[in-house]
Amino acid sequence: MIVLLLVIVLITIIVIKMTQKPKPRKLLKTDWEPDTVYLYQFKRPDFGPNLSPYCIKIESYLRANNIRHEIVFAVMERSSKGLIPFIELNGQEYADSEFILYEIQKTFNVKDVEDPERAGALRGLMRTFDTEVFFITYTFLSQLTKFHQVVGSSLPIPSFLFPLFVKFLKHRLGNRIKGSSVGSFSEAEKLQVLERNLTAAENVLGNRRYFGGDIFSVADAAIYGQIAASYLFPVPVPTSTFIREKCPNLERYIKDVTNTLFSDFVTVD
Ligand SMILES: *[C@@H]1O[C@H](CO)[C@@H](O)[C@H](O)[C@H]1NC(C)=O
């Protein structure tokens, strides 16, 4: 009886926490240093920088541009928009990776690609990866048991509640995917779009070191985040399989960027 009651209370708390409408709130870091980025992100899995492509996006950009930062692994903390990652910088909170990188670029005067034609092409490619490629990849990742285990291990969920948690997570991700731009696509159509988008990136990269040439641009952060999250995941999904089989430039790029920026805890050969 008591156990049952406890279970109900715990589930209720977790569901409320995860579905809560975000509200304005005070800074989490009260004794902040000027010009230091406080990055709130999910706990690191053991196979890569993060399970979330958006967390990898922000962290890779900070590392590549030598920007002073501190990482806070969030458990229940969410931005005032209800999401992770978010940052606090000079006494302000910024949420959504798009605004975060814009703010960092501005504050620290980071150079990006200057040629307008190239910059425009990269902008389009980056949006494709942050939207279509993300939702398509997560359609496949969220079908894997390993995916739920990794997400579950970053949260304080007792093992007996795990099956319930998986149901909840599947339902939540399913709704997000359905509401996205690829929501009405069949699985075959998703695969088609995915392969076209990856091939486009493969060709735009060519034999350059980065999408931004010598510069690890905002577009690099976005695209690297999306492809590295699935490439480094220990179970193959169509995104990583297609990269391994058909995109030698992208594969070389993932290895180079990972080994250059994240070798303190993961290397790929
Ligand atoms: C990605 O695929 C979608 C759907 O086919 C397409 O609209 C978009 O232009 C593609 N993006 C790139 C950069 O090729």
Side-chain angles (χ1 to χ4, degrees), residues 121 124-126 128-129 132-133 185 192-194 196-198 200-201:
L125 195 61
M126 165 176 145
T128 286
F129 274 74
E132 270 111 349
V133 173
F185 294 2
Q192 233 188 67
V193 170
L194 176 69
R196 270 209 301 270
N197 285 169
L198 287 170

Side-chain angles (χ1 to χ4, degrees), residues 60-159:
S60 63
Y61 194 72
L62 292 169
R63 284 178 174 236
N65 292 292
N66 291 315
I67 291 164
R68 194 144 71 109
H69 65 279
E70 210 173 277
I71 287 172
V72 185
F73 292 112
V75 180
M76 287 301 180
E77 299 89 344
R78 293 292 180 271
S79 73
S80 48
K81 289 187 177 141
L83 297 170
I84 275 187
F86 64 98
I87 64 161
E88 290 177 355
L89 170 60
N90 292 334
Q92 283 262 2
E93 180 206 300
Y94 300 95
D96 191 302
S97 65
E98 170 96 11
F99 299 115
I100 294 174
L101 287 199
Y102 175 73
E103 207 51 45
I104 292 174
Q105 211 188 345
K106 210 174 58 177
T107 306
F108 298 94
N109 236 325
V110 187
K111 256 180 61 181
D112 211 282
V113 175
E114 272 163 14
D115 174 55
E117 211 172 295
R118 180 96 187 148
L122 290 182
R123 170 96 199 134
L125 195 61
M126 165 176 145
R127 290 312 290 168
T128 286
F129 274 74
D130 268 347
T131 53
E132 270 111 349
V133 173
F134 170 76
F135 284 111
I136 295 171
T137 302
Y138 275 71
T139 305
F140 298 113
L141 273 177
S142 64
Q143 294 167 3
L144 302 173
T145 310
K146 177 76 184 167
F147 176 82
H148 300 117
Q149 284 166 349
V150 175
V151 179
S153 70
S154 70
L155 297 167
I157 296 170
S159 55

Side-chain angles (χ1 to χ4, degrees), residues 29 32 50-51 65 78 81 97 117 134 138 163 210-211 218 229 233-234 247 259:
K29 184 82 184 169
W32 50 270
N50 215 286
L51 185 59
N65 292 292
R78 293 292 180 271
K81 289 187 177 141
S97 65
E117 211 172 295
F134 170 76
Y138 275 71
Y210 300 131
F211 285 90
V218 169
F233 195 80
C247 307
N259 294 338

Side-chain angles (χ1 to χ4, degrees), residues 186-239:
S186 69
E187 203 149 300
E189 289 169 334
K190 282 181 180 163
L191 281 172
Q192 233 188 67
V193 170
L194 176 69
E195 295 185 358
R196 270 209 301 270
N197 285 169
L198 287 170
T199 304
E202 170 76 3
N203 295 332
V204 173
L205 178 63
N207 53 20
R208 292 174 181 82
R209 180 165 192 201
Y210 300 131
F211 285 90
D214 303 329
I215 295 175
F216 189 83
S217 62
V218 169
D220 277 280
I223 299 165
Y224 171 72
Q226 297 295 338
I227 56 183
S230 59
Y231 185 88
L232 299 173
F233 195 80
V235 183
V237 285
T239 312

